[in-house]
Amino acid sequence: MTEASRQKPIGIIGAMTMEVKGLIARLEEDKTREIAGLVFHQGRLDGVDCVVAKCAPGKVNSAVCAQIMILEYSPRLVINLGVAGGVGVGIGDLVVASQCVQHDFDPTPLGDPLGCLSICRGEEEESFIQLHSDKQAAEVLLEEAKTIYGGAHLGVIATGDAFVADPAKSRWLNETFGAKAVEMEGASIAQACYMNRVPFAVLRAISDNANDESPADFPAFAKECADKSAQLLAKTIARL
Ligand code: SAH
């Protein structure tokens, strides 16, 4: 990393208050700005310049938040943290994204593959299904996760505008995309980052298994899992 890029902050986005509250409380010299109703907290976390925001659930909220953060703060890396539904991994486990996909983007009637997105590159368009997270950040997060918790996984995280609480859908996500977790913001933040050529990472703690039990498991475990992902990030930030 060059000296110039080290001076840029790390951006941190969570969808819910419980996912960012602990990190915001630990920020030194917290300066806040409100843009489009989103509150951006800029300060130092363990000596590292950071900007932290809550975006509210969903792809549009999270993409707007990431875009504003990129334009206003020029982060060198954007990390999306929080909770997710596990696909074949246990409640309380941690999943770090190797790649992100949007499972609800469906152009298949026109012959394009499921999840195949297009973005503009000037007059041209570029298509992709999966976006790769920053390899180094993902490795560091996974390594730290493994030293603290038993169940730490690297894999595809699937994003869509739906809370998944259906075992058949969860199996389909694994068979179709190789997903290990499902949530509602990771891949839209990844897309905003990719369009702006900013590296990203996604870290999620599993609050439920995206099945019939999820409506009960999510409220029971989300807070504890949100704390877990925030604590891991706080412990790891100086290495990122
Ligand atoms: N109004 C609720 C909405 C929660 S939506 C609230 O704010 O409490 C669920 C959130 O947790 C989303 O941000 C999503 O990323 C994550 N999540 C956890 N389990 C999920 C699942 N099974 N399917 C989709 N998203 C899930």
Side-chain angles (χ1 to χ4, degrees), residues 110-180:
L110 300 173
D112 288 330
L114 192 67
C116 185
L117 293 143
S118 296
I119 58 160
C120 294
R121 286 285 186 217
E123 298 301 332
E124 308 297 317
E125 278 187 26
E126 195 184 317
S127 297
F128 55 84
I129 298 176
Q130 299 187 332
L131 286 176
H132 291 258
S133 65
D134 184 71
K135 208 162 179 283
Q136 200 196 336
E139 272 167 18
V140 169
L141 286 166
L142 186 70
E143 202 179 287
E144 288 283 347
K146 280 184 176 161
T147 64
I148 314 172
Y149 308 104
H153 315 267
L154 180 71
V156 175
I157 296 186
T159 300
D161 277 326
F163 185 89
V164 177
D166 171 2
K169 178 104 187 221
S170 167
R171 265 195 309 280
W172 174 84
L173 286 168
N174 181 261
E175 286 160 12
T176 311
F177 300 107
K180 283 204 162 88

Side-chain angles (χ1 to χ4, degrees), residues 15-16 18-19 56-58 83-86 160 162-165 182-186 204-205 207-211 214 218:
M16 298 180 286
M18 67 171 100
E19 293 170 329
V83 301
F163 185 89
V164 177
V182 59
E183 36 82 314
M184 300 169 71
E185 301 84 18
R204 296 279 178 157
S207 55
D208 58 273
N209 280 125
N211 61 15
S214 290
F218 176 80

Side-chain angles (χ1 to χ4, degrees), residues 39-110:
V39 182
F40 294 85
H41 297 260
Q42 189 175 24
R44 278 198 318 281
L45 192 60
D46 200 16
V48 179
D49 285 330
C50 289
V51 52
V52 187
K54 177 184 92 161
C55 64
K59 293 199 301 182
V60 174
N61 281 331
S62 54
V64 167
C65 183
Q67 183 62 54
I68 292 172
M69 188 179 269
I70 290 166
L71 290 175
E72 296 292 322
Y73 295 94
S74 301
R76 62 179 156 95
L77 170 72
V78 173
I79 300 171
N80 171 224
L81 89 168
V83 301
V87 180
V89 299
I91 291 178
D93 282 8
L94 286 152
V95 179
V96 176
S98 52
Q99 291 115 305
C100 293
V101 296
Q102 291 181 35
H103 67 79
D104 58 352
F105 194 87
D106 185 3
T108 55
L110 300 173

